[in-house]
Amino acid sequence: MTEKFKKLEVSRHLLYFLSKKGDLEEEMLEKAFQDSGIYPDGGKMASFLNRLMLGIGAIFLICGVIFFFAYNWAELHKFHKLAVIGSLVLISGLFALFQKRESYAHKISIVALCGFTGALFAQFGQIYQTGANAYDLFLGWTLMVSAWVIVSRFPALWVFYVALINTTVILYIGQVSRIMTPLPAFYLLSGVNGLLWIISEFLIKDKSLGMKSRILPRIVGLLTFIPLTLAFSFAILDIRFFYQATEMDLIVSAFAWGLAFFGSLLIYRLMIKDLFFLACSVISAMCVFCVMIFKMEFGELFTLAFLGVCILLITFFTVKFLIKTNKKWKQQSLAAE
Amino acid sequence: MEATKSGSRVKLKLWELLSKWQKSHPESLPYKDESFHQEVENASYSASTIVIQVFMGIGAWIAGLLFLELLDELNILNSENSRLIFGAACVSFYLLTSYFGRLKPAFESSLLTVGLIGQVYLAWAIGDIFTEELHIYIIGILIEAAILLLTFSSIQRFTSTILIFMSFLGLIHEFEIYEATHVLIGGLSFILAYFWIKEPKVIAQDKRFSSFMNPVGLGIATSIILLLMLTVNKEWHQEFIEYWWISGIFMIGSVLYVLRSMIEAYEIKKYKWLVYAAAIVMLGPTVFSPGIAAAIFILLLGFYRGHYILSGLGTLAMTVFTFMFYYNLQITLLQKSMLLMGVGLVFMVLRIGFILIYKKETKLNQFEQTINE
């Protein structure tokens, strides 16, 4: 028995493998699933149910309040409306203040605080007809809740915050800047999300902040890659679509896409071990490659055959690379234990 | 109810488990064999992650679509027979290679592409040969069942499972027994619950079953969600399928079945009926929107069995179904808001009740640790 073998932990994959290799009885497997913690114990299950009920209850309540004020009930006096929503902001804020910082109830009350703040802004705009458009509302909302999102250390709230920022940027493009061409809009979206991507990695790196989940960098990373891939593809295709790209567009989009592609390959291969971004980079490259080959107009039959073979080869070698990398990382983490 | 701080729990090492088994069941595995140890070690490294599986699937699909377009442009397979022979040849090659070849995972995407092309051409040819849709669905079920049994690819097993149940939906539509859709949904939810609750029993039954657990289990969960998507847009189904509350009752029944298993596993004898009553109060309003009950069922089952992909699927389904439910509801925004707030408050009140009971049954410090994790 090697040293590495001694460090192996029981997993569902390994139990399945062992059941293929020998004659295991139901009781043996049942006990193994329980003892290894694959099946949660009573405490874990209670914690899950507590979170489920609190999470669903709070989300439904917040949505209900937002819908209630969106209805703009005429029979309710404007001061009453403001008082109700203001009180909810205050109550959720105070509740968050008196809860333990790491508790789930504290995090959920900050979510409520952020949700009710948006409803308060919308209500104020509705009553006093401030002339603010949807962009102003979302910008104000985003700025107002920023500090609370940071202190919350709650990945779900960060995801909501990312959605708020992206909505603000999209509304800015549509209502304020009046950008009529797609490329600058893609650059702006990818730039903002790229910045959030870097911030999210730092948040995870700093262990004192308590952000363990990799869901946030994955979402913002994807939101950076998609507009960049689209921008580069649009620039390559130029006159085929409604937008005539210039040479400068091609250079800028190629540079921006290349930075994201090579940067993520290097960073997520060598510094932060995450297969998700390696796979995403290659999928993005496959899309750009297909667009390039279509643009070259070699003839339809040749293009289809050539691309089909190329995609198969790229997939084959990438899968090989991903499996090898995954194996290497697992071995390294076992050796480091 | 036993409360333990799971964070402090030391994870079970494989060698410890094998030592225990060796003492109690010395004949069950070749414990002393060095090559067995090596095989287990290799298996632990080769566990293919969901990212690799998804990437493989995307690559195979893109390549498959390009080759299908190429074959269409070439226009060489322009008769029923040529399409049938070509499709059958591709599927046979795919199955034979995967069954006998046991190729490395990297080749899986290339073989999946061949399999995809074969299945599309086979379906096309069958559609041309048999004018009756009934025959097409029956043959489709048989072909996909054969592929499911013979293929080595998890992606193909997952896809075949979904295709089989979608063909069953086609059959129901063909026989015009639309209400049988509820029986299909109910049957699938029972199979899914049984599959995961009795996981150790299923995989101990036959050595081959463990390879089917994940792809078929996830395929069934996805099929339930897809079938219930018919409830999302009223225009799609109202013409044919009625009485969705039957599916709703099946779903609530499935949740109760999972709860029964949990009550037995965690020995919650004292509050057994309270748990059932609380579940019925919570799920009662979803009887006319079985999608939400199905999402809660999949989420609960996924967490109970420690299967995070299943839980993720449940969470995703819950977001979609809840959103669509309120979007489709033919009531005013004010009534919708009241309904939302009401349901939210019910959950909060039930949570308070749950905490009070849990606090009473466990020591306070254990409670604080567990609940705040």
Side-chain angles (χ1 to χ4, degrees), chain A residues 12 16 39 41 50-51, chain B residues 4 39 199 305 351 373:
Chain A
R12 176 172 262 123
Y16 283 2
Y39 290 167
D41 56 22
N50 169 54
R51 284 173 178 219
Chain B
T4 52
E39 264 186 88
E199 186 185 15
R305 297 285 91 174
R351 180 191 170 248
E373 258 170 31

Side-chain angles (χ1 to χ4, degrees), chain A residues 60-81:
Chain A
F60 276 29
L61 208 60
I62 298 164
C63 292
V65 169
I66 291 171
F67 276 23
F68 179 78
F69 287 101
Y71 179 73
N72 200 14
W73 200 9
E75 283 170 46
L76 200 65
H77 189 270
K78 58 184 179 183
F79 289 156
H80 292 158
K81 284 180 189 169

Side-chain angles (χ1 to χ4, degrees), chain B residues 92-157:
Chain B
S92 309
F93 173 76
Y94 166 57
L95 291 178
L96 286 171
T97 325
S98 64
Y99 192 72
F100 293 111
R102 312 236 177 248
L103 293 169
K104 284 185 176 177
F107 284 99
E108 193 179 328
S109 58
S110 314
L111 279 177
L112 271 173
T113 305
V114 177
L116 171 74
I117 295 168
Q119 285 170 75
V120 169
Y121 269 92
L122 213 50
W124 191 356
I126 291 165
D128 285 342
I129 295 166
F130 299 96
T131 44
E132 294 252 348
E133 278 186 36
L134 179 73
H135 297 129
I136 300 171
Y137 292 129
I138 293 172
I139 295 169
I141 290 171
L142 293 175
I143 291 173
E144 287 306 324
I147 292 174
L148 175 67
L149 291 174
L150 295 173
T151 184
F152 77 106
S153 160
S154 294
I155 303 167
Q156 182 63 58
R157 280 179 186 148

Side-chain angles (χ1 to χ4, degrees), chain B residues 92-239:
Chain B
S92 309
F93 173 76
Y94 166 57
L95 291 178
L96 286 171
T97 325
S98 64
Y99 192 72
F100 293 111
R102 312 236 177 248
L103 293 169
K104 284 185 176 177
F107 284 99
E108 193 179 328
S109 58
S110 314
L111 279 177
L112 271 173
T113 305
V114 177
L116 171 74
I117 295 168
Q119 285 170 75
V120 169
Y121 269 92
L122 213 50
W124 191 356
I126 291 165
D128 285 342
I129 295 166
F130 299 96
T131 44
E132 294 252 348
E133 278 186 36
L134 179 73
H135 297 129
I136 300 171
Y137 292 129
I138 293 172
I139 295 169
I141 290 171
L142 293 175
I143 291 173
E144 287 306 324
I147 292 174
L148 175 67
L149 291 174
L150 295 173
T151 184
F152 77 106
S153 160
S154 294
I155 303 167
Q156 182 63 58
R157 280 179 186 148
F158 172 77
T159 319
S160 293
T161 308
I162 296 172
L163 287 173
I164 288 171
F165 295 119
M166 291 305 122
S167 301
F168 270 115
L169 182 68
L171 272 183
I172 288 169
H173 192 273
E174 203 52 33
F175 281 119
E176 295 183 8
I177 40 167
Y178 304 112
E179 271 61 49
T181 311
H182 307 305
V183 180
L184 179 63
I185 292 169
L188 283 178
S189 60
F190 175 75
I191 295 169
L192 182 70
Y194 184 85
F195 219 53
W196 288 112
I197 289 173
K198 304 282 179 191
E199 186 185 15
K201 188 179 179 177
V202 174
I203 59 173
Q205 209 101 92
D206 192 299
K207 285 179 183 177
R208 285 164 294 185
F209 286 175
S210 57
S211 320
F212 289 87
M213 279 304 291
N214 276 321
V216 176
L218 290 172
I220 293 173
T222 314
S223 301
I224 295 173
I225 294 168
L226 289 176
L227 288 168
L228 287 170
M229 285 302 266
L230 291 169
T231 64
V232 162
N233 189 330
K234 287 187 166 53
E235 286 164 17
W236 292 350
H237 71 83
Q238 236 172 16
E239 212 180 322

Side-chain angles (χ1 to χ4, degrees), chain A residues 3 54 101 116 130 142 150-151 204 217 243 259 332:
Chain A
E3 276 306 305
L54 185 61
R101 208 175 158 198
F116 293 145
T130 55
T142 309
I150 293 165
V151 297
I204 290 176
Y243 174 65
L259 195 69
Q332 279 174 352

Side-chain angles (χ1 to χ4, degrees), chain A residues 111 114-115 141 145 149 155-165 167 216:
Chain A
V111 173
C114 295
W141 189 0
V145 300
V149 174
L157 188 58
W158 272 96
V159 173
F160 172 72
Y161 187 59
V162 166
L164 269 186
I165 292 175
T167 312
L216 184 66

